Amino acid sequence: MDKYSFLNPIDEEGMIYAQKGNKYGYIDIDQNIIIPFIYDELSLFSEGLASAKINGKYGFLNRKGKKIIDFQFDEVDGFYQSGLAIVQKNNKYGIITQKGTFIIPIVYENIFLSEKDSLICISKNKKWAFFSKKGKQVTNFIYDQITFSKKSLILIKKDKKIGYLDSNLTEKIPIGKYDYGTPFNNNGLAIVSKKNRFGVINNKDFQVIKTEFDSIGYLQEEYSDSDCFVGFKNDKLTLFDQKGNLIIEGIKDYFKDVCRLNNKVKTIYQIQKGNGLSGVIDEKGKVLIPVIYDEINRFRGDSVTTVMSKNKYGLIKSNNEIVYPINNDWILRDRDLDFYIVKKNDKAGIINKNLLPVLDFNYQDISPCHYNPKNLFIAKKNDKYGVIGLRGDIIIPFEYDELSNWVEYGPGSNYHFVTKNNKKGLITKGGKTIIPPVYDELRFINDQTIILAKNQKFGVVTIKNTLVIPFDYSKICTETFNLNLKGKEFYVQKNGKAFVIDNKNKMIRNKISAKEKELMNFEMKFLK
């Protein structure tokens, strides 16, 4: 299969869409060619036909590769369930059948079909009209906007006023009754406003949420909108479910979350009142955790989370049971870890999910190592950093003033940057010294380029501490911050003169421009 640059999964008719070089075609499972690789573009099949492009024009083929509709269009859509396709030529639009017959000539500004393909919307002179799927015009060009809903009324705008039509184009909610309206959602509800007051209606124009809010929107989930509503009024929020039923009113903020309660996964809302305190309610508004905490972290599907009250942290269940006292300075909870890191009275330790001690409170600080967060930890003891295992075994001795954890542009998961006696170096995750901590500055560019400074002189080494550029220069920088180098060249300064050298320490240019010098000085600030 190496001769194909792309293969789609086999379709329901045993055909495989494929790319060969810069051409497209179809093969079967035995690599027999069904549609030859002569097309510049080729689509998947829709309603038995696939669009294809050759010599700059589009047409349609059947599953045997036979041309059914001539190559004559500038752009095409696939065929809809109604057996119709929108085509374009010379920036005008029309509609054809699967036989290539025009039911709408290519003379209009724009065209789209309804979700059910039962109506066609066409624009002319910036106004829209409805046509039947047989191409018969059924309204005049009088609408400024038409928006379909999958299961409900059609939103239309006419003379800057909105209304709603049914599928027979009968006016069900009069044009002008509302100043603003959204399309109906999948639950058959739409947000509307009248005289700048917002509410929610159903398709019978019943106000399931009265038009009394400053604004209404869809409730925010972590990564998207939900079908529930949130109303804003007098700087307070009111939450409604997907049917418009009241959940809670008079809150300052909220977050939709999921927890485990009585061995069941349950949708909840973390809410915050005007006094800044937080609690938790279920999706019907029942209080699960009273509004008494300064901070509640997200459950994210767990039955336990951390809470903060009066600057102290503890662990609480979704049923408001305190399972670990709220008297700690800090608790790290990560649902992917089988333990909690706890800090109390300036001492840190680890407890497991059963709240039993795992690592005694003998450390000033503990944080999981990014390369093995379940078993290894950067810890601080007697003002020095090292790395320990889950049972306290020492992996890297406590001898460093600083010891890096995850670094986005660092040397990878096998190393730590370290500082010792105010000098910088590099060690492995096993504690082996790679670059001894004797340097005033250390900047990692890549494995072949680590800029070091010692006694006010700069040089370059590799990650194996092999010398690349000797420590002869008062400044060294590479192409970071848009300096115009090729990756293996360096701007350097020596005895007050700036020039460019390669990675063999040979001069390439003996002068640099004022702009290059400005950029060089800018980058050097990041080494200080």
Side-chain angles (χ1 to χ4, degrees):
M1 293 290 182
D2 291 343
K3 59 185 176 182
Y4 302 106
S5 50
F6 176 79
L7 289 172
N8 211 47
I10 190 168
D11 70 13
E12 68 277 5
E13 298 290 334
M15 297 177 67
I16 301 171
Y17 173 83
Q19 181 181 355
K20 190 175 181 181
N22 60 354
K23 299 294 183 179
Y24 297 85
Y26 274 86
I27 60 174
D28 64 18
I29 195 67
D30 297 316
Q31 298 191 57
N32 297 311
I33 295 175
I34 303 172
I35 296 178
F37 289 86
I38 60 173
Y39 298 103
D40 302 317
E41 292 183 26
L42 187 62
S43 75
L44 299 179
F45 281 90
S46 174
E47 302 301 312
L49 295 177
S51 64
K53 183 180 182 182
I54 193 168
N55 298 326
K57 294 295 181 180
Y58 288 89
F60 289 88
L61 312 173
N62 66 13
R63 285 190 173 272
K64 294 182 179 180
K66 181 182 177 181
K67 180 184 69 177
I68 301 301
I69 299 172
D70 285 339
F71 294 90
Q72 57 181 299
F73 306 111
D74 299 331
E75 295 288 343
V76 296
D77 286 348
F79 277 90
Y80 291 79
Q81 289 182 354
S82 57
L84 303 177
I86 300 171
V87 293
Q88 179 191 345
K89 188 186 291 185
N90 300 324
N91 292 319
K92 296 293 183 180
Y93 293 85
I95 292 182
I96 59 173
T97 68
Q98 290 171 296
K99 294 182 179 180
T101 304
F102 285 92
I103 66 163
I104 302 290
I106 305 181
V107 296
Y108 293 103
E109 294 169 355
N110 207 346
I111 295 177
F112 68 90
L113 301 178
S114 69
E115 293 286 348
K116 298 178 181 178
D117 300 342
S118 57
L119 290 169
I120 302 170
C121 298
I122 297 178
S123 70
K124 182 176 72 172
N125 298 325
K126 297 183 179 180
K127 293 289 185 179
W128 290 87
F130 288 96
F131 284 64
S132 74
K133 65 179 181 180
K134 293 183 178 181
K136 180 181 178 182
Q137 185 173 344
V138 292
T139 71
N140 293 325
F141 287 89
I142 56 175
Y143 300 108
D144 303 310
Q145 177 184 328
I146 299 172
T147 308
F148 286 93
S149 299
K150 287 184 178 181
K151 299 179 180 179
S152 196
L153 304 178
I154 305 166
L155 170 65
I156 49 96
K157 191 173 186 179
K158 180 182 176 185
D159 300 327
K160 297 183 179 181
K161 297 178 181 179
I162 66 115
Y164 293 89
L165 311 178
D166 64 16
S167 58
N168 296 317
L169 306 182
T170 302
E171 203 170 297
K172 285 297 185 180
I173 298 177
I175 295 174
K177 180 173 181 178
Y178 297 107
D179 305 319
Y180 165 84
T182 67
F184 280 88
N185 65 18
N186 291 336
N187 297 314
L189 300 179
I191 299 171
V192 295
S193 74
K194 189 173 183 65
K195 297 180 180 178
N196 291 320
R197 310 311 295 164
F198 287 78
V200 174
I201 61 171
N202 63 19
N203 55 17
K204 298 185 183 299
D205 198 19
F206 175 76
Q207 291 188 7
V208 297
I209 300 175
K210 292 184 177 180
T211 50
E212 59 185 22
F213 290 90
D214 301 330
S215 66
I216 286 182
Y218 285 105
L219 189 145
Q220 293 289 308
E221 296 185 355
E222 189 165 10
Y223 299 109
S224 62
D225 293 339
S226 76
D227 289 332
C228 300
F229 299 95
V230 54
F232 302 81
K233 185 178 180 182
N234 299 328
D235 295 324
K236 293 184 178 180
L237 308 181
T238 301
L239 306 185
F240 300 90
D241 68 15
Q242 66 269 26
K243 295 181 179 180
N245 299 314
L246 176 67
I247 298 174
I248 192 169
E249 57 186 342
I251 62 174
K252 179 183 178 181
D253 205 356
Y254 70 92
F255 179 79
K256 190 173 183 180
D257 197 5
V258 176
C259 75
R260 185 168 290 277
L261 181 65
N262 299 325
N263 294 319
K264 293 182 179 180
V265 176
K266 193 172 185 66
T267 297
I268 57 173
Y269 297 94
Q270 294 190 27
I271 58 168
Q272 186 183 69
K273 290 290 186 71
N275 59 8
L277 297 180
S278 297
V280 174
I281 60 174
D282 68 12
E283 55 191 340
K284 295 186 181 298
K286 179 184 176 182
V287 175
L288 301 179
I289 298 175
V291 183
I292 59 174
Y293 295 103
D294 298 318
E295 180 183 296
I296 302 176
N297 285 320
R298 300 171 184 176
F299 281 91
R300 297 186 186 276
D302 282 350
S303 60
V304 175
T305 193
T306 56
V307 295
M308 190 261 281
S309 179
K310 299 178 181 178
N311 292 319
K312 294 295 181 180
Y313 290 84
L315 296 171
I316 190 171
K317 279 189 172 182
S318 54
N319 63 358
N320 196 35
E321 178 188 352
I322 297 173
V323 295
Y324 199 74
I326 308 174
N327 59 7
N328 305 282
D329 301 326
W330 178 71
I331 296 178
L332 172 68
R333 166 190 168 267
D334 187 323
R335 60 176 307 197
D336 293 328
L337 301 178
D338 297 328
F339 52 78
Y340 306 101
I341 297 177
V342 181
K343 192 171 184 180
K344 182 178 180 181
N345 299 327
D346 295 325
K347 294 292 183 181
I350 297 178
I351 61 175
N352 62 24
K353 289 294 180 76
N354 295 320
L355 312 179
L356 298 175
V358 174
L359 193 61
D360 290 338
F361 285 71
N362 292 329
Y363 304 92
Q364 293 167 274
D365 201 3
I366 298 174
S367 60
C369 284
H370 77 279
Y371 51 79
N372 191 352
K374 294 184 178 182
N375 298 295
L376 295 178
F377 307 87
I378 294 177
K380 185 179 183 182
K381 191 174 185 180
N382 299 325
D383 293 325
K384 298 294 182 181
Y385 288 92
V387 173
I388 59 174
L390 191 57
R391 302 300 175 183
D393 46 312
I394 297 175
I395 310 300
I396 297 176
F398 290 89
E399 59 182 65
Y400 298 104
D401 305 320
E402 296 176 355
L403 196 153
S404 71
N405 207 335
W406 183 80
V407 180
E408 184 176 3
Y409 298 108
S413 61
N414 292 318
Y415 302 92
H416 293 280
F417 296 120
V418 293
T419 302
K420 186 176 182 179
N421 300 324
N422 292 320
K423 300 294 183 179
K424 302 180 186 300
L426 183 71
I427 65 174
T428 69
K429 64 182 181 182
K432 180 182 177 181
T433 298
I434 300 298
I435 298 175
V438 297
Y439 296 97
D440 302 318
E441 304 292 341
L442 185 155
R443 184 174 182 194
F444 180 87
I445 306 298
N446 55 50
D447 285 358
Q448 301 303 313
T449 308
I450 300 175
I451 299 176
L452 301 174
K454 187 178 182 181
N455 300 326
Q456 298 183 338
K457 295 293 185 180
F458 286 86
V460 176
V461 301
T462 70
I463 202 165
K464 294 182 178 181
N465 203 23
T466 302
L467 188 66
V468 177
I469 304 295
F471 288 78
D472 292 338
Y473 300 98
S474 57
K475 292 180 181 179
I476 291 181
C477 58
T478 184
E479 69 266 50
T480 312
F481 298 117
N482 298 316
L483 290 173
N484 185 27
L485 295 178
K486 300 177 181 178
K488 294 184 178 181
E489 302 170 3
F490 302 87
Y491 286 96
V492 297
Q493 182 171 301
K494 185 176 182 179
N495 300 326
K497 295 183 178 180
F499 48 96
V500 179
I501 63 174
D502 64 15
N503 61 352
K504 304 296 184 183
N505 199 31
K506 293 182 179 180
M507 183 183 293
I508 298 173
R509 281 192 285 134
N510 60 8
K511 292 182 180 180
I512 65 173
S513 68
K515 180 64 175 177
E516 288 175 312
K517 193 166 186 177
E518 179 185 347
L519 290 169
M520 178 181 178
N521 291 332
F522 177 70
E523 180 176 358
M524 288 300 298
K525 291 179 182 179
F526 289 81
L527 283 169
K528 300 299 182 184

